[in-house]
Amino acid sequence: MMNILSRAVSSSKRSSLIRIATATSGIVYAQSNPDSGPRISLVIPESLSLPWQISQGLIHRPDLSFFGHFTAFTSRGSEAPANNDKRVPVEASDSSKPPTNGYLGRDTIANAAARIGPAVVNLSIPQSAYGITTGKSIGSGTIIDPDGTILTCAHVVLGFQSIHQSSKGRVDVTLQDGRTFEGVVVNADLQSDIALVKIKSKTPLPTAKIGFSSKLRPGDWVIAVGCPLSLQNTVTAGIVSCVDRKSSDLGLGGTRREYLQTDCAVNAGNSGGPLVNLDGEVVGVNIMKVLSADGLGFSVPIDSVSKIVEHFKKSGRVIRPWLGLKMVELNKMIIAQLKERDPMFPDVEKGILVPAVIPGSPADRAGFKPGDVVVRFDGKPVETIKEIIEIIDDRVEKQMQVVVERSNKEKVTLQVTPVEADPDM
């Protein structure tokens, strides 16, 4: 484009003004004058969103020249306008403010790391066998409450042992500012791999701000903070690769779980540390990586973690209702394919398919059959398994009404009573 503009300007021997419209990016003016030399100006519409702050109205920069003198826009501000230009100049960015409009600026990641850094701690747990100390388990954590509550992974503080065998364990905690404390494991859930550690301090403790993992989208920038290989205050950056990676996709059994997948560099010692958005808010807890690949790290979404913490506060443990159903989410394409295979497939547009029912389970006793399509649960329409889980919440031994569609346009209402799942399932 620069060559075209150069030829357009140089081909004219008299003062002229060439107006060139560029798609979605404003208007460029090229001016040629034998006395002053060629110049190019840029007009940017107000509706155009740019990664720097723009004043109200149009910005007409007659001093933006591509020939003779060159001035570039930067996120650090701009030069003062000419005395006869009454428009408000582009404001300089304030690195102390959170990023706006989701744009990645020069200091965005550094600012996010600075906000979360003081609340990230190093955790070490002496390990022993037959009374002989064999080493230390190293991990990370985040102070989430001024009372000294630290969020981390269960496998960091328990080593995948039974909570009944290892509860109330002692943990050495080191803050970014160098202070050290002895912490106590107060709660842990092995299925979600989430735990809480508590420390006591006579002086104020830094705390992290909790965000919302539900607002994340694939491609969003995030940072991982922690103590990989005992290297405290390590920050790595990447993007969200997937917001709902199923545990079954990773070959993990047990209760159905979902993870955030990112390409942030994480290593041994990052476990329990925070995954942070560009506003410096915790959106996940780093939990694991794929050893045989690079850029495949996984975190527990903070929305799920918040619910687990609420369970800890309410019941001292996580209560998981169990129905005994295998479930598959349906969409229009899957439904169309199933109808091609079996013309008797239920006439639905959405819902959750039940391919199998576990014998002797609450669902089996309620009358569920393989091939049922759940369309309403406890009076609410449902399209995803997550919606069913949220509706049930921690309600065990409470009867719920479920509407299912069957072949031959048969609609059946069932009464099912969830029971608490075996913690070792």
Side-chain angles (χ1 to χ4, degrees):
M1 178 178 177
M2 293 298 298
N3 291 334
I4 295 174
L5 293 178
S6 178
R7 288 196 300 268
V9 173
S10 61
S11 63
S12 177
K13 296 182 179 180
R14 63 183 183 279
S15 177
S16 61
L17 183 64
I18 304 172
R19 183 177 183 271
I20 304 174
T22 59
T24 71
S25 57
I27 301 173
V28 175
Y29 290 94
Q31 184 177 17
S32 176
N33 191 302
D35 298 326
S36 61
R39 300 176 64 82
I40 290 182
S41 303
L42 177 66
V43 176
I44 304 175
E46 181 181 8
S47 60
L48 181 61
S49 181
L50 295 171
W52 53 77
Q53 296 181 355
I54 298 177
S55 59
Q56 296 296 321
L58 299 180
I59 297 179
H60 180 206
R61 298 295 303 275
D63 56 330
L64 183 63
S65 302
F66 290 95
F67 305 102
H69 301 281
F70 179 79
T71 304
F73 286 105
T74 71
S75 61
R76 306 292 292 178
S78 65
E79 69 280 1
N83 293 333
N84 59 352
D85 190 349
K86 298 181 180 180
R87 298 175 180 84
V88 179
V90 179
E91 298 177 4
S93 64
D94 185 352
S95 61
S96 65
K97 296 180 180 179
T100 58
N101 299 327
Y103 289 112
L104 186 66
R106 175 177 176 178
D107 299 324
T108 304
I109 291 177
N111 290 340
R115 294 185 190 98
I116 189 67
V120 180
V121 302
N122 174 274
L123 304 177
S124 59
I125 302 92
Q127 294 181 332
S128 61
Y130 303 104
I132 301 175
T133 300
T134 59
K136 282 189 174 184
S137 169
I138 304 296
S140 308
T142 310
I143 304 175
I144 59 173
D145 195 291
D147 67 0
T149 299
I150 298 172
L151 176 64
T152 186
C153 284
H155 77 259
V156 169
V157 295
L158 300 182
F160 286 118
Q161 302 176 36
S162 170
I163 179 64
H164 302 292
Q165 297 174 358
S166 305
S167 61
K168 313 305 179 185
R170 300 294 172 177
V171 181
D172 294 329
V173 180
T174 304
L175 273 65
Q176 187 186 62
D177 58 20
R179 286 182 289 172
T180 59
F181 299 89
E182 184 179 79
V184 177
V185 181
V186 293
N187 294 103
D189 180 65
L190 292 176
Q191 289 199 27
S192 63
D193 200 11
I194 294 298
L196 295 179
V197 173
K198 191 74 171 290
I199 60 175
K200 294 182 180 180
S201 175
K202 294 181 180 180
T203 55
L205 294 170
T207 58
K209 184 177 180 180
I210 303 300
F212 297 92
S213 54
S214 58
K215 294 182 179 181
L216 291 175
R217 300 175 301 167
D220 280 344
W221 281 92
V222 286
I223 64 174
V225 187
C227 312
L229 307 176
S230 301
L231 301 174
Q232 195 160 357
N233 310 328
T234 297
V235 178
T236 60
I239 63 170
V240 176
S241 306
C242 180
V243 296
D244 55 357
R245 180 65 66 203
K246 309 292 189 298
S247 55
S248 57
D249 295 342
L250 305 175
L252 302 177
T255 305
R256 180 183 185 273
R257 300 174 299 282
E258 291 185 350
Y259 300 103
L260 300 172
Q261 178 183 329
T262 76
D263 68 351
C264 293
V266 292
N267 294 281
N270 272 112
S271 289
L275 186 72
V276 183
N277 63 20
L278 295 185
D279 290 327
E281 301 169 336
V282 179
V283 292
V285 176
N286 299 317
I287 184 174
M288 59 185 170
K289 64 170 291 187
V290 176
L291 291 177
S292 59
D294 294 326
L296 289 177
F298 301 92
S299 308
V300 182
I302 198 63
D303 292 356
S304 299
V305 174
S306 297
K307 293 178 182 178
I308 291 169
V309 172
E310 286 302 315
H311 278 276
F312 286 157
K313 293 179 179 179
K314 183 178 179 181
S315 309
R317 70 186 195 282
V318 179
I319 298 176
R320 291 184 173 87
W322 182 63
L323 294 177
L325 289 174
K326 299 290 185 181
M327 295 183 284
V328 176
E329 296 175 1
L330 297 176
N331 57 41
K332 291 183 179 180
M333 300 305 295
I334 295 177
I335 292 172
Q337 188 177 52
L338 292 173
K339 285 184 177 180
E340 287 179 1
R341 297 176 181 176
D342 183 4
M344 301 300 291
F345 186 81
D347 187 18
V348 296
E349 295 183 355
K350 56 188 176 182
I352 297 99
L353 175 65
V354 178
V357 181
I358 299 176
S361 66
D364 185 33
R365 294 192 295 269
F368 280 88
K369 297 180 180 180
D372 285 348
V373 177
V374 179
V375 294
R376 297 185 70 86
F377 203 101
D378 200 32
K380 300 177 181 178
V382 290
E383 300 181 32
T384 66
I385 298 172
K386 182 183 291 187
E387 289 175 342
I388 292 179
I389 294 174
E390 291 175 350
I391 290 172
I392 298 176
D393 195 23
D394 62 350
R395 295 185 293 170
V396 298
E397 303 299 339
K398 293 183 180 180
Q399 192 175 78
M400 300 180 188
Q401 191 177 81
V402 183
V403 178
V404 300
E405 295 273 3
R406 292 175 175 168
S407 57
N408 297 321
K409 298 183 179 181
E410 181 182 5
K411 182 179 290 187
V412 180
T413 300
L414 305 174
Q415 304 291 333
V416 64
T417 303
V419 299
E420 185 172 359
D422 183 347
D424 297 324
M425 283 181 59

